C-alpha cells in the first residue's frame, strides 16, 4: 500500500503542514513542471524525490542522488506500482 | 495490461499541463495499456471550445487532441462543468459531451485514474 | 463497489472548486460507489451553517450540500485541525461530519482505489 | 470628482468577484465619479465570450454587463490576453476589443485603478 | 501616503511573511469575499480590519470592534482616501 | 509621467501570469510611463537563465523578458529573500535586476501611483 503524490508547483502553493503529516515513508513523491525548481523545499516530504526528466531539463535543473530522474514510461509504470495517486 | 482514465482540470492557457497529459497518454499507449477515457473537468472543459486558435509559436493544442482522437481515444467533456461555465456544448469538436455519471462509471471500472492539473 | 475519495481544500467561493467537488461526490453516490469527501483548510468553511449567498446574487449551493444526506452520502470528513483554525465545531456545520486527525486521514487515504483532488 | 479605471482578472465562473466589481462600479457612478473604462485582462477576457449562458439560478452576468454598457461605461477587452487564450475576438458582445496600450493610457490618466480578482 | 491592501481569500492563499513585512501601520487592510471568514488570521496584518458588510453578512459573520464594517460607498471612498491599492 | 508597479508572485508556468505581467510591463514602457516590475516568491524563477521550454512545445517567453533591456525597462526588482530561497543569485538571471529587502520594497510601493498584481 503506497500513494503516489504528484506536485507541479513549488511547495508554497500547498498546505505544507498537511503534506508533512499525510505523506508516509513508503509513499512516492513526484515533481513535475515548476515543482522541479523546488527540490530543496520538497526534501522535507521525502528522502528520495522522483523528478520528471523532461520538465527538469527544460528548466536547466540537474538531478542528483538521492533523487531519481523519470521518463514518461517510468511515470506510467510508477502509477501502476503504487495503489493510487493524488495530484495535489 | 492496465486500464487508465485520465482527467484534465486546467484551462487551455495552461499549456504545460496539456503537453504533459498528452505525453503521458502516448506513453500509456506505447506500453500497450488502455485509456478508457480522457475527461475534461473543471476549467479543463474550455479545451472543447471551438474558438481555440493560438499563435503558431504556441503549443499546437488542437493538433494534439486531433491526434489522440484519431488514435481512437475516447475524449469526453463534462456537461455539468461546461454548463456551470457557460460553454457552448453544441460545438465541442473532437470531444463527446458526456454526463458525470458516464465518467464515474468508467473511472470505477478503471485500474488507474490519473489527474492532470 | 470501489472506494473513491474526493479532496477539497479551496475556500467556498474560490471559483467553482467546491461545487465541482460536490457534483463529483453526488454522482459517485448515484452510481453506487463508496464515495467519501474530505474537507481541509478553508474548504471546511463550505460546511458553515447560515450562509445566504443568494442575497448578493450568487447561487446558494449550500442547499445542495444538504442533499448529501438525502442521497445517503455518509462519509463526510473534515480535518480536525482546520475546523479549529476557523473557529468551527461540528455543531456549526450543515451536515453531520466526522472530524479526523492526520493519522485518521492517512488511514482514510490508504483505503481508497481512486483519489481526486478538486 | 475622481476618474477610475477598473480591471477584472478572474473568469466568469468567479461569480463572486463579478458581482463585487459591478456593485463597486455602481457606487462610483452614484457618487458622481467617472469610470473611464472597465478592462478585462487575464482570465477576465472570458467574460466577452458570446457563448456565456448560465442557468437561471446563477448570477445574471450578461444582464449586469448589458446594464453597465447602457449606462455608457466603456467596456474593454484586452486583445493580447484574449489571443493568448484562443478567444474569438470577432464576437465580443458589449465589450470593445482594445490594445493594452489603449488601456495603459487610460490608466495613466486615471486617479485610481482598482483591480478585481 | 498609505496603501489599501485588498484580500478576498483566507490568509493561507498569500505569502504571509511578505505581507507582514510590507504592510505599514498607516495602511488599510480590507477583507472581501472569503477573506471575511479569516478575521482572526488577518489580525496579524493590522490592528483594525475593514470588512465589506455585504460579504460578511451573506457568510453569517459578525463584525466587532476594533474592526469596521464598510458599505460599497465606503469602499469607493476608501480607494480615494489612500494613495493606491493592491489587490493581493 | 506616472509611476506604475507590476507585482508578480506566481511560478513561471502557473497559467499565463508571468506572461500577462510581461505584456503589461512592456506596454507601460511603450506609452512612456515609469514602469517597475517586482518579482517575489516563485516568480523569481521566471528570470532564471538557460530555460528552454520550446523543447517540450511551449513558447519560450524568456526571450521576450530579455527584450525589456531593449525597451529600456530598467526598474526590474526582485525580492532578495526569494532569490535566496530558490538558490539563485543575480548572476543566474536573464536580465540585470536590483535585489530589494522588505524595507526597500515598502519604499518602492510608496512611490507608485498605480500598483497591479498579475
Amino acid at each position: 500500500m503506497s500513494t503516489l503524490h504528484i506536485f507541479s508547483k513549488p511547495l508554497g502553493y500547498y498546505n505544507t503542514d498537511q503534506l508533512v503529516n499525510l505523506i508516509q515513508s513508503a509513499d512516492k513523491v513526484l515533481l513535475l513542471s515548476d515543482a522541479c525548481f523546488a527540490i530543496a523545499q520538497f526534501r522535507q516530504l521525502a528522502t528520495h524525490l522522483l523528478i520528471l526528466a523532461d520538465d527538469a531539463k527544460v528548466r536547466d535543473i540537474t538531478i542528483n542522488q538521492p533523487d531519481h530522474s523519470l521518463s514518461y514510461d517510468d511515470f506510467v509504470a510508477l502509477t501502476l506500482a503504487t495503489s493510487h495517486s493524488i495530484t495535489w | 495490461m492496465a486500464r487508465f482514465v485520465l482527467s484534465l482540470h486546467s484551462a487551455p492557457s495552461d499549456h504545460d499541463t496539456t503537453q504533459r497529459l498528452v505525453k503521458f497518454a502516448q506513453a500509456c499507449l506505447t506500453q500497450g495499456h488502455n485509456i478508457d477515457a480522457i475527461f475534461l473537468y473543471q476549467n479543463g472543459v474550455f479545451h472543447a471550445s471551438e474558438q481555440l486558435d493560438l499563435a503558431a509559436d504556441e503549443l499546437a493544442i488542437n493538433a494534439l487532441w486531433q491526434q489522440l482522437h484519431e488514435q481512437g481515444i475516447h475524449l469526453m467533456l463534462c456537461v455539468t462543468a461546461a454548463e456551470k461555465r457557460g460553454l457552448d456544448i453544441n460545438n465541442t469538436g473532437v470531444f463527446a459531451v458526456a454526463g458525470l455519471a458516464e465518467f464515474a462509471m468508467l473511472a470505477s471500472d478503471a485500474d488507474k485514474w490519473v489527474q492532470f492539473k | 463497489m470501489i472506494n473513491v475519495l474526493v479532496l477539497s481544500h479551496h475556500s467556498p467561493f474560490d471559483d467553482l472548486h467546491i461545487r465541482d467537488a460536490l457534483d463529483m461526490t453526488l454522482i459517485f453516490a448515484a452510481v453506487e460507489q463508496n464515495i467519501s469527501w474530505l474537507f481541509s483548510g478553508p474548504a471546511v468553511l463550505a460546511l458553515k451553517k447560515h450562509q445566504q449567498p443568494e442575497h448578493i446574487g450568487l447561487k446558494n449551493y449550500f442547499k445542495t450540500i444538504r442533499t448529501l444526506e438525502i442521497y445517503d452520502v455518509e462519509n463526510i470528513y473534515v480535518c480536525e485541525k482546520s475546523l479549529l483554525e476557523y473557529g468551527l465545531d461540528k455543531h456549526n456545520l450543515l451536515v453531520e461530519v466526522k472530524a479526523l486527525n492526520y493519522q485518521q486521514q492517512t488511514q482514510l487515504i490508504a483505503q481508497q482505489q481512486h483519489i481526486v483532488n478538486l
Side-chain angles (χ1 to χ4, degrees), chain A, chain B, chain C:
Chain A
M1 289 302 294
S2 71
T3 302
L4 170 60
H5 301 272
I6 302 174
F7 299 93
S8 58
K9 299 282 187 299
L11 193 58
Y13 277 82
Y14 308 99
N15 179 343
T16 310
D17 182 59
Q18 186 190 30
L19 293 172
V20 165
N21 283 286
L22 292 188
I23 295 179
Q24 305 291 299
S25 57
D27 288 354
K28 304 292 181 188
V29 172
L30 174 62
L31 308 186
L32 310 174
S33 186
D34 287 343
C36 299
F37 285 122
I39 292 173
Q41 296 174 353
F42 281 100
R43 180 74 63 211
Q44 61 186 295
L45 301 185
T47 319
H48 306 271
L49 298 165
L50 307 172
I51 302 158
L52 192 64
D54 278 14
D55 289 6
K57 192 178 172 196
V58 300
R59 290 169 178 79
D60 195 34
I61 291 160
T62 313
I63 301 165
N64 299 310
Q65 286 294 332
D67 303 322
H68 295 287
S69 163
L70 258 66
S71 67
Y72 276 94
D73 277 346
D74 299 332
F75 182 4
V76 171
L78 185 62
T79 62
L80 293 169
T82 45
S83 310
H84 47 232
S85 60
I86 305 178
T87 302
W88 290 100
Chain B
M1 295 302 94
R3 290 172 60 187
F4 282 84
V5 292
L6 310 182
S7 60
L8 177 57
H9 301 255
S10 54
S13 52
D14 183 355
H15 302 170
D16 191 27
T17 298
T18 307
Q19 60 88 24
R20 197 173 304 112
L21 174 138
V22 172
K23 285 178 190 156
F24 184 92
Q26 296 297 358
C28 280
L29 297 178
T30 305
Q31 292 183 29
H33 302 302
N34 277 324
I35 298 175
D36 289 349
I38 296 178
F39 187 65
L40 305 181
Y41 197 56
Q42 300 191 293
N43 288 332
V45 297
F46 289 113
H47 278 271
S49 168
E50 274 292 278
Q51 304 179 340
L52 208 62
D53 181 20
L54 293 173
D57 59 347
E58 302 276 8
L59 186 69
I61 295 179
N62 289 337
L64 293 172
W65 289 124
Q66 187 63 41
Q67 192 187 343
L68 286 167
H69 176 65
E70 285 167 11
Q71 289 171 281
I73 309 265
H74 188 194
L75 303 177
M76 298 166 69
L77 162 76
C78 175
V79 64
T80 316
E83 284 176 347
K84 275 189 287 187
R85 287 163 178 81
L87 193 81
D88 178 7
I89 55 167
N90 297 311
N91 216 346
T92 57
V94 294
F95 295 92
V97 177
L100 255 183
E102 188 180 341
F103 173 73
M105 285 187 282
L106 287 169
S108 302
D109 286 341
D111 299 301
K112 296 292 166 187
W113 174 1
V114 184
Q115 263 188 292
F116 288 82
K117 63 177 178 180
Chain C
M1 183 148 122
I2 64 162
N3 296 339
V4 178
L5 174 64
V6 172
L7 299 178
S8 284
H9 50 85
H10 288 87
S11 79
F13 287 95
D14 181 355
D15 212 81
L16 300 171
H17 285 282
I18 303 290
R19 291 177 59 182
D20 291 332
L22 174 60
D23 289 340
M24 191 63 91
T25 300
L26 286 169
I27 214 76
F28 270 101
V31 301
E32 299 189 339
Q33 303 297 338
N34 184 31
I35 187 77
S36 303
W37 190 1
L38 171 61
F39 293 77
S40 308
V44 300
L45 295 163
L47 296 172
K48 183 174 182 281
K49 266 187 189 165
H50 305 310
Q51 299 192 58
Q52 302 185 297
E54 64 273 29
H55 290 181
I56 52 172
L58 306 181
K59 185 179 167 108
N60 187 335
Y61 72 81
F62 305 105
K63 288 181 185 167
T64 317
I65 289 183
R66 297 201 63 172
T67 67
L68 287 166
E69 290 179 338
I70 299 169
Y71 291 102
D72 286 330
V73 178
E74 287 168 0
N75 305 326
I76 315 283
Y77 300 98
V78 298
C79 169
E80 189 180 77
K81 195 176 166 186
S82 306
L83 274 190
L84 268 174
E85 190 177 344
Y86 288 97
L88 295 171
D89 67 43
K90 289 160 75 171
H91 309 289
N92 306 125
L93 304 185
L94 283 175
V95 288
E96 210 165 299
V97 303
K98 298 170 190 113
L100 303 184
N101 61 28
Y102 285 132
Q103 197 196 332
Q104 292 165 321
Q105 291 174 44
T106 304
Q107 286 162 1
L108 178 66
I109 288 170
Q111 293 157 12
Q112 307 302 318
Q113 177 152 356
H114 296 318
I115 301 168
V116 59
N117 185 24
L118 294 172

